[in-house]
Amino acid sequence: MKNIYSTPFYANIIKNLEIAGMVNDTKNATIQRLKFPKRCIVVSIPVRMDSGEIKIFDGYRVQHSQTLGPFKGGIRFHKGVNLAEVVSLASLMTLKNSLLGLPLGGAKGGVAVEPKNLSRGELERLTRGFTSAIGPFIGPDKDIPAPDVGTDSQTMAWMLDTYSTESGFSQTGIVTGKPLAIGGSKGREAATGLGVVLNIQKVLEKQNKSAEESSLAIQGFGKVGMHAAIEAHKIGLKVVAISDISTALYDANGLNIPELVGFVKKKNLLKDYDSAKQINNDELLTLPVDILAPCALDGVINSDNMDKIKAKIIVEGANGPTTSKASSYLFKEKKVIIIPDILANGGGVIVSYFEWVQDIVWLFWSEEEVKSKLKMIIDRCFDRVWDCAKKHSVDIRTAAIATALKRLEKAMLLRGQI
Ligand code: NAD
């Protein structure tokens, strides 16, 4: 068990927790409790492949904390998924949900698989097998999964159906991020990317800068990155670079985002788009832009490239894209403002929370209502964190974690957990 806590990703999270804990005298007991997840569920999932062969996949669900409410967090299908990574991501969910003021705890799940190598039928059988295996531990008032890397609304639809079939009744509240036709929420698909852009707008506002005079590079063009690009384009930000697993595209005058969205929605990879210059993903991170939004992987801004970063604002659409060392270097030596993952990509879980609430009351909101409520929460959290950073002369990540810790500690004290 011990080595799951010794990965660089988790070490970064713990270090950040300890630093933030010093800002507002968080009790040692609070930090100690949050260093360990409440429950780790490890499952093996036998799947009959199209060839007739049975293949076994490893799956995980980590329930980190339920101090503030039911466990909540995404499901990742990626070949690199392992228990240590899921523990790290689950702990970030606890902090995120606390920071955003949601009545939810933190969890994460995943299966070690490259989904692109599976047929649709194999993917469905894998999803159903995984849902059955973690079934006893999840539920609309226990633990509510959502999409993450490599999963989408169809994955959620299969999870919902499997869980409902096994419990004997329709249980739409079991997952969020599901299709509208089976209880999804308007605005969920775009929510994380929209949240990234609402955060960008807040930083620009604090610096008296306009969107039109700013340039943006986005790493990743999936559920988060693509919608961040769409929303950024809508407000007049110049999106000069985007990337996916195959390549990165760059145009200093601004890329044609609507055309690129159409291109990728037809299942094309960016390497096959020939109306923009191709660069590699590492170059994208060090472009001379005003704003950089890493929206793909963790650990991409690190000791190897931190001195080459030129952006003055980094908005973390992905979870954990900046290592602790790079974060501290960029803040102290280059005065870079980093809006951390738990704030920057909070739009997804905020609208997931709205979806969950709508499923409980069976009353569905308009897209405008969802968006205005999302903006209200992000603006409020942003201002609170910004003020905390100014008050204590710390970076935004430290202020965000300190704010999350404060709410968690209060609840832990009231519940007699510490
Ligand atoms: P996704 O699978 O939809 O998209 C990932 C994107 O990253 C794809 O464009 C993929 O091609 C690209 N990519 C993969 N490997 C790459 C590489 N080596 N270099 C460059 N690009 C690469 O995943 P997503 O849901 O957009 O999630 C992205 C990040 O955002 C993850 O860290 C996830 O945890 C985080 N996040 C997602 C949500 C959500 O609502 N989906 C919410 C909060 C945080």
Side-chain angles (χ1 to χ4, degrees):
M1 193 75 169
K2 233 185 164 124
N3 61 353
I4 65 169
Y5 304 118
S6 59
T7 61
F9 189 9
Y10 202 56
N12 272 324
I13 295 172
I14 298 302
K15 190 154 186 215
N16 291 336
L17 260 188
E18 285 168 348
I19 294 170
M22 287 189 280
V23 170
N24 46 15
D25 298 325
T26 304
K27 289 178 190 303
N28 190 34
T30 308
I31 306 279
Q32 286 310 317
R33 185 67 198 94
L34 290 170
K35 279 184 183 174
F36 301 96
K38 179 160 186 72
R39 192 178 289 134
C40 296
I41 302 143
V42 180
V43 297
S44 56
I45 315 148
V47 177
R48 187 173 297 281
M49 308 304 279
D50 293 347
S51 63
E53 167 208 12
I54 302 267
K55 228 172 146 178
I56 314 283
F57 294 87
D58 294 328
Y60 310 92
R61 184 71 181 167
V62 172
Q63 299 176 330
H64 182 261
S65 165
Q66 58 178 348
T67 298
L68 296 170
F71 298 109
K72 181 93 190 81
I75 302 284
R76 182 173 286 200
F77 282 3
H78 188 270
K79 60 179 182 316
V81 164
N82 57 58
L83 183 56
E85 181 187 67
V86 182
V87 166
S88 306
L89 292 165
S91 68
L92 283 179
M93 285 308 297
T94 297
L95 295 174
K96 190 185 301 183
N97 291 334
S98 175
L99 171 66
L100 300 170
L102 306 178
L104 297 166
K108 202 82 183 188
V111 177
V113 60
E114 181 48 78
K116 287 192 177 63
N117 295 343
L118 266 54
S119 70
R120 186 180 159 93
E122 289 168 342
L123 207 51
E124 176 174 350
R125 293 192 288 280
L126 173 67
T127 305
R128 290 187 184 278
F130 177 58
T131 310
S132 284
I134 62 167
F137 300 95
I138 60 174
D141 53 2
K142 290 184 197 157
D143 182 354
I144 309 111
D148 190 73
V149 175
T151 54
D152 58 16
S153 56
Q154 179 59 69
T155 322
M156 295 304 113
W158 288 326
M159 289 191 79
L160 180 156
D161 187 68
T162 307
Y163 187 83
S164 299
T165 305
E166 291 184 357
S167 70
F169 301 95
S170 178
Q171 307 263 9
T172 52
I174 178 62
V175 287
T176 59
K178 55 193 172 286
L180 275 181
I182 50 174
S185 173
K186 291 199 170 129
R188 174 60 184 91
E189 202 187 314
T192 314
L194 174 58
V196 167
V197 174
L198 289 171
N199 274 284
I200 292 176
Q201 282 180 293
K202 287 297 289 183
V203 194
L204 293 176
E205 187 187 302
K206 298 279 180 198
Q207 299 188 325
N208 290 319
K209 285 186 185 149
S210 73
E212 289 79 10
E213 62 180 328
S214 309
S215 57
L216 167 68
I218 303 175
Q219 185 188 49
F221 205 59
K223 293 186 292 297
V224 181
M226 180 191 287
H227 284 285
I230 295 170
E231 299 298 332
H233 182 75
K234 272 189 205 161
I235 60 161
L237 255 170
K238 206 186 329 163
V239 184
V240 297
I242 60 165
S243 69
D244 66 4
I245 195 160
S246 71
T247 192
L249 301 176
Y250 177 56
D251 185 339
N253 296 316
L255 293 162
N256 185 338
I257 296 302
E259 185 176 287
L260 280 158
V261 169
F263 183 77
V264 168
K265 280 195 172 165
K266 285 185 200 138
K267 306 256 177 247
N268 290 305
L269 285 170
L270 293 180
K271 73 175 171 44
D272 299 319
Y273 183 81
D274 48 21
S275 304
K277 182 180 161 192
Q278 296 207 10
I279 56 172
N280 67 43
N281 256 298
D282 296 339
E283 284 176 82
L284 178 143
L285 297 169
T286 59
L287 284 172
V289 290
D290 299 302
I291 309 158
L292 175 63
C295 297
L297 308 166
D298 61 79
V300 292
I301 302 172
N302 50 43
S303 324
D304 296 338
N305 61 8
M306 61 191 188
D307 56 336
K308 300 186 200 83
I309 302 287
K310 297 181 194 73
K312 285 291 173 209
I313 300 168
I314 296 177
V315 181
E316 297 184 335
N319 283 311
T322 318
T323 64
S324 192
K325 192 169 173 194
S327 231
S328 152
Y329 170 85
L330 289 167
F331 173 65
K332 289 187 185 137
E333 307 297 328
K334 294 192 147 193
K335 309 274 173 283
V336 176
I337 295 175
I338 303 181
I339 306 302
D341 43 15
I342 60 170
L343 178 58
N345 68 33
V349 73
I350 294 171
V351 178
S352 269
Y353 163 61
F354 295 164
E355 180 176 331
W356 181 63
V357 169
Q358 292 170 79
D359 283 327
I360 291 171
V361 294
W362 287 105
L363 185 64
F364 291 89
W365 309 343
S366 68
E367 189 161 345
E368 291 66 41
E369 194 172 354
V370 169
K371 283 186 175 169
S372 79
K373 285 189 161 85
L374 168 65
K375 179 168 165 42
M376 202 179 68
I377 295 183
I378 291 203
D379 285 355
R380 189 175 59 205
C381 285
F382 188 99
D383 287 336
R384 193 175 293 158
V385 169
W386 188 269
D387 293 347
C388 173
K390 294 284 160 244
K391 182 174 165 200
H392 296 283
S393 302
V394 293
D395 61 303
I396 309 286
R397 186 187 316 282
T398 302
I401 299 175
T403 308
L405 283 175
K406 205 168 184 173
R407 178 168 175 238
L408 274 162
E409 182 166 90
K410 190 171 178 190
M412 285 162 107
L413 276 167
L414 285 166
R415 290 182 62 157
Q417 293 175 344
I418 50 169

